[in-house]
Amino acid sequence: MINFHPVMSGPCPRSRGWRPWRTVAFSVFLALLSALPAARVLDVEVQSGEAVLDGREFGAGGAYELLTGDILFGLDPANPVNQVIVDLGLAPRNGQGLVEARANFMALQPRDPERRSGVALVEVSNRGGKFSMRYFNLADSGTLTADDPAAFGDGLLMRQGLTVIWVGWQHDVPRRDGALWLEVPVARQLDGAAITGRVRADWTVDEPVHVLPLGHRNHVPYPVDDPANPVNVLTVRSGREAPRRVVPRESWRFARLQDGKVVPDDGHIWLAGGFEAGKIYELVYGSRDPRVAGMGLAVIRDVIAYAKHDPAAEFPARHGIAAGVSQTGRFLRHFLYQGFNTDESGRMAYDGLMIITAGAGRGSFNHRFAQPSRDAHRYSAFFYPTDLFPFAGATLYDPLLNRSDGLLAHMSPARHIPRIFYVNTGYEYWGRAASLIHTTVDGAADTPPSERERIYHLASCQHFTGGFPPAEDGRLAGTDVYRGNPLAFKVNYRALLMGLVAWVKGESPPPASAFPKRADASLVPPGEVNFPWLPGVDFPAVIHQACRMDYGPRWPEGIIDCQPPRRGAAFPSLVAQVDEFGNETGGIRNVELQVPLATYTPWNLRWGQPGGQDELTDFLGTFIPLSRTEAERQASRDPRPSVAVLYPTRERFLEKVAAAAAGLVQDGFLLPEDRAMVLEQARRTWEWLQERAPAADR
């Protein structure tokens, strides 16, 4: 029996029991699919096509063009592969019986068809933005215009002749210049009546404010239906596990400030006296007219089906790889779990997936009143349906849920399982329960990936690459401890993507998996990490854990009745063991760890914040440079060796860096062309460290 913790906000019916969401026994239907229409891209409207950088040549890819426009999709609710989409059958249909969705797109491809490699990289956009040029091309700009050299970086993707495709999939992205968006219909009852339900929003308030938005990270929220509805309840608490206290209804309104006046607004709340810094506020409210959010999963499926199979495709391809980072890495795990890699005609959609910094998560991508931007961190966006069993690709049994399941268990036929790279940093082990993707549910033993899966752990890295040199305003006063970890690991993403492309094309096998394991004690509970005592550094006493959650009796159908949900027993979260410097030992160890000048942790505590100072900072790690000399080391009582002892000269240091980089190239984790960049970053770090004054002198 699972003991769920009761929480406030009205009656919450018990779940009828756990089972996978509606999945179809595809083996029964595959024989029928060939008779059904192909993946429904109904229309592609190319609004512009421009030569990139005035026809500049990019190696084997030659000159490129950038297409922009809109795509009209049509989904058949009767098709078996679409029946997992929540509320699709309650959406309006066109004259052909299809449910329509419209998205904008961008496509980057060689202008000469003969110079196209045949591989399309579909970026699953993170909250409407674009990351591929920055992650893989090392571009300086997050925008993408044909005449901006900063948008294309060193052109790695184009030098390979790859086609890169972006398409909107998220229904609540606000319209802004350059953003990718998706329009999906509202679901209604069969008799035409409006569908209503409960929606939840929460905020960790670090600075006092009077108004808070209902939407997450400025996304378009579900508006309140009736401000007077008694289901609308605002609570406040002092910590993650602290008891909730109801905020009196007369003290807050659905409103915002305009010219200093409080005006009604169905997308914000206003509190008399303001929201207090250091508190967590949570609102449950009634809304109406849910969007069919799960159509976004089908859009990502159907855009590659169009590219691979439509003879009139504007951006044709023979092979498809999808890449997602953070939110959209979780999206791709959800895509796999719900069997979306089979298209409407029974064909395999993607040949490969690169799932980046998703940990063990999925997300709010296919349920009624879904808010795709919501996640579930240790100290923000609490308890959304993100870190839910199952976690590993293999089918495992959870005795507390009395259920066997796996991330790939609903992929049918099994031959449609793509080649998959799961790439996580150390942060995802601390902040997204990543160990669960390769352990048993009790954390006692390893669960190795299948022959079509690879798992890579970027040791000691935070969620995204931090800037260098570290900002002085991020330094803990009186110490050499910096918030933010500058360990540079985009070079690993570049090498791994090239490895996945070669694997998908059948040219060469990928690098071997590299991740910490229970068998060799490189994966341990947090309490068994041998982290050295360092001045000014407190080792975390907490870690993010996935829990067995109860969202109510209709959750198996994708409907949340229990807001906020009941929490049951947690799954264990394990992390990588560390060396004498405090740097992680399991997985891919970049030159910063093999030839260290600092301790790089993938975690950071919320020091200096008004609340939760012993909790984890979202996304960020910590940087603690070594002492330059033995005198400095002894003065600060630092147990780590000094730089002077480790490396008698700069030349000796750089020789060791070069040897470490050569090993990374040999293992497939660094491109040969990126060795010079790695050496240059090491040189910059050395010089910064030698030129800075000790903390005691600043």
Side-chain angles (χ1 to χ4, degrees):
M1 179 69 69
I2 302 173
N3 295 316
F4 287 98
H5 303 292
V7 290
M8 300 183 62
S9 190
C12 183
R14 297 293 266 181
S15 173
R16 294 195 299 259
W18 292 91
R19 63 185 187 275
W21 286 358
R22 295 175 304 191
T23 57
V24 179
F26 287 108
S27 58
V28 175
F29 291 99
L30 281 177
L32 303 176
L33 288 178
S34 60
L36 294 172
R40 303 299 179 86
V41 169
L42 302 181
D43 184 47
V44 176
E45 179 186 352
V46 177
Q47 297 167 351
S48 69
E50 300 177 84
V52 170
L53 303 181
D54 294 323
R56 172 181 160 186
E57 295 268 328
F58 291 93
Y64 264 71
E65 63 183 359
L66 181 65
L67 308 180
T68 63
D70 292 355
I71 303 179
L72 180 65
F73 297 88
L75 300 184
D76 181 3
N79 191 300
V81 299
N82 292 332
Q83 290 176 3
V84 72
I85 300 174
V86 174
D87 289 337
L88 184 66
L90 299 178
R93 308 182 190 190
N94 65 15
Q96 290 73 47
L98 305 179
V99 180
E100 294 184 354
R102 180 176 292 274
N104 64 339
F105 81 92
M106 302 181 78
L108 187 66
Q109 66 182 356
R111 298 179 71 182
D112 181 354
E114 297 299 319
R115 303 184 77 167
R116 297 170 187 167
S117 71
V119 178
L121 173 67
V122 175
E123 176 191 314
V124 188
S125 162
N126 185 305
R127 297 178 173 88
K130 305 177 189 70
F131 66 83
S132 289
M133 295 294 109
R134 290 180 291 112
Y135 273 54
F136 303 126
N137 275 15
L138 303 179
D140 293 329
S141 174
T143 61
L144 190 61
T145 57
D147 59 353
D148 181 9
F152 299 97
D154 73 349
L156 175 66
L157 300 179
M158 291 101 88
R159 286 185 277 125
Q160 311 303 313
L162 298 181
T163 295
V164 188
I165 302 166
W166 296 263
V167 63
W169 66 269
Q170 186 176 342
H171 78 277
D172 58 349
V173 170
R175 294 294 183 96
R176 61 181 187 273
D177 288 346
L180 294 157
W181 47 261
L182 174 68
E183 295 175 348
V184 297
V186 166
R188 302 186 71 84
Q189 302 286 5
L190 291 175
D191 63 1
I195 294 174
T196 60
R198 297 183 182 186
V199 179
R200 184 165 62 93
D202 61 8
W203 307 265
T204 299
V205 178
D206 289 332
E207 297 180 359
V209 293
H210 279 84
V211 177
L212 292 170
L214 301 188
H216 186 240
R217 298 186 184 179
N218 296 315
H219 282 62
V220 178
Y222 279 106
V224 64
D225 181 19
D226 177 7
N229 191 330
V231 77
N232 305 329
V233 175
L234 179 66
T235 63
V236 61
R237 61 189 190 273
S238 58
R240 174 186 172 95
E241 311 296 342
R244 292 166 168 84
R245 176 176 58 83
V246 174
V247 178
R249 185 63 184 86
E250 62 273 13
S251 66
W252 63 275
R253 307 182 204 170
F254 288 95
R256 58 183 171 83
L257 292 175
Q258 180 175 309
D259 299 327
K261 298 180 180 179
V262 180
V263 297
D265 188 299
D266 61 7
H268 293 79
I269 57 171
W270 169 88
L271 177 64
F275 296 94
E276 183 180 350
K279 301 295 185 182
I280 299 168
Y281 291 85
E282 183 176 67
L283 173 69
V284 175
Y285 65 98
S287 189
R288 61 186 289 160
D289 295 337
R291 301 283 173 174
V292 186
M295 293 180 74
L297 291 153
V299 162
I300 295 300
R301 176 197 69 197
D302 291 349
V303 74
I304 196 62
Y306 163 78
K308 289 171 67 173
H309 302 296
D310 192 323
E314 297 285 353
F315 35 85
R318 295 188 301 275
H319 306 286
I321 292 174
V325 61
S326 190
Q327 176 212 28
T328 54
R330 293 185 290 104
F331 175 99
L332 288 176
R333 286 175 54 83
H334 207 108
F335 182 94
L336 288 169
Y337 180 61
Q338 295 201 301
F340 276 94
N341 208 42
T342 297
D343 72 16
E344 285 195 351
S345 293
R347 301 167 303 204
M348 183 172 178
Y350 288 97
D351 305 280
L353 299 183
M354 189 163 177
I355 298 175
I356 300 172
T357 59
R362 298 199 306 276
S364 299
F365 306 123
N366 186 22
H367 62 81
R368 184 172 291 177
F369 290 107
Q371 302 176 78
S373 181
R374 299 281 182 186
D375 34 33
H377 291 280
R378 174 68 198 181
Y379 211 67
S380 69
F382 305 90
F383 315 127
Y384 291 91
T386 297
D387 304 304
L388 303 180
F389 178 80
F391 310 104
T395 297
L396 301 175
Y397 176 66
D398 182 356
L400 294 184
L401 295 176
N402 190 26
R403 175 177 153 211
S404 293
D405 208 349
L407 191 72
L408 305 178
H410 309 287
M411 294 288 299
S412 181
R415 66 177 183 274
H416 287 178
I417 296 173
R419 292 167 172 83
I420 308 167
F421 282 8
Y422 306 98
V423 189
N424 289 296
T425 70
Y427 174 83
E428 282 72 57
Y429 284 76
W430 284 92
R432 182 59 69 212
S435 62
L436 289 167
I437 73 173
H438 54 77
T439 66
T440 52
V441 295
D442 61 1
D446 299 311
T447 300
S450 70
E451 63 180 13
R452 299 182 74 84
E453 299 173 290
R454 296 292 186 274
I455 299 174
Y456 304 107
H457 163 232
L458 303 179
S460 278
C461 298
Q462 66 178 29
H463 189 66
F464 50 81
T465 299
F468 185 84
E472 282 299 311
D473 61 4
R475 183 171 59 87
L476 183 61
T479 75
D480 279 331
V481 180
Y482 290 85
R483 171 169 286 146
N485 175 341
L487 201 161
F489 54 90
K490 286 182 182 178
V491 291
N492 305 129
Y493 291 153
R494 286 158 60 87
L496 289 172
L497 179 63
M498 294 300 99
L500 181 57
V501 169
W503 195 20
V504 161
K505 293 172 69 176
E507 295 175 347
S508 60
S513 292
F515 57 93
K517 301 177 179 66
R518 295 295 276 156
D520 61 8
S522 59
L523 185 71
V524 297
E528 296 180 15
V529 174
N530 298 321
F531 194 79
W533 179 88
L534 299 179
V537 180
D538 292 325
F539 190 74
V542 299
I543 189 171
H544 180 75
Q545 291 179 295
C547 293
R548 296 159 177 91
M549 305 294 293
D550 184 358
Y551 292 96
R554 294 188 292 171
W555 177 240
E557 286 74 48
I559 302 172
I560 296 178
D561 294 303
C562 188
Q563 289 280 30
R566 282 185 289 260
R567 287 182 292 122
F571 295 90
S573 285
L574 307 177
V575 296
Q577 188 54 277
V578 301
D579 61 17
E580 63 178 314
F581 298 93
N583 291 323
E584 293 185 331
T585 57
I588 301 171
R589 302 185 83 232
N590 282 303
V591 298
E592 292 92 336
L593 307 189
Q594 296 187 51
V595 193
L597 293 174
T599 296
Y600 298 84
T601 81
W603 46 261
N604 180 268
L605 298 180
R606 286 170 45 90
W607 73 64
Q609 298 295 340
Q613 294 191 10
D614 59 346
E615 290 283 354
L616 300 178
T617 305
D618 289 353
F619 305 124
L620 296 183
T622 308
F623 177 60
I624 312 110
L626 299 179
S627 300
R628 294 177 298 181
T629 66
E630 278 298 287
E632 288 179 7
R633 186 189 70 79
Q634 292 171 5
S636 64
R637 296 181 298 136
D638 191 333
R640 303 168 299 168
S642 68
V643 173
V645 166
L646 290 169
Y647 320 108
T649 65
R650 185 184 77 158
E651 288 67 30
R652 181 58 180 146
F653 166 72
L654 292 176
E655 287 174 4
K656 289 189 172 186
V657 169
L664 290 167
V665 170
Q666 183 175 354
D667 292 339
F669 301 135
L670 179 68
L671 296 176
E673 67 181 76
D674 288 344
R675 279 186 291 193
M677 185 190 332
V678 168
L679 287 169
E680 174 61 18
Q681 179 59 40
R683 183 194 63 77
R684 290 182 62 210
T685 305
W686 173 279
E687 293 182 354
W688 173 83
L689 182 62
Q690 296 299 330
E691 293 169 0
R692 63 194 290 274
D697 298 336
R698 279 179 282 157

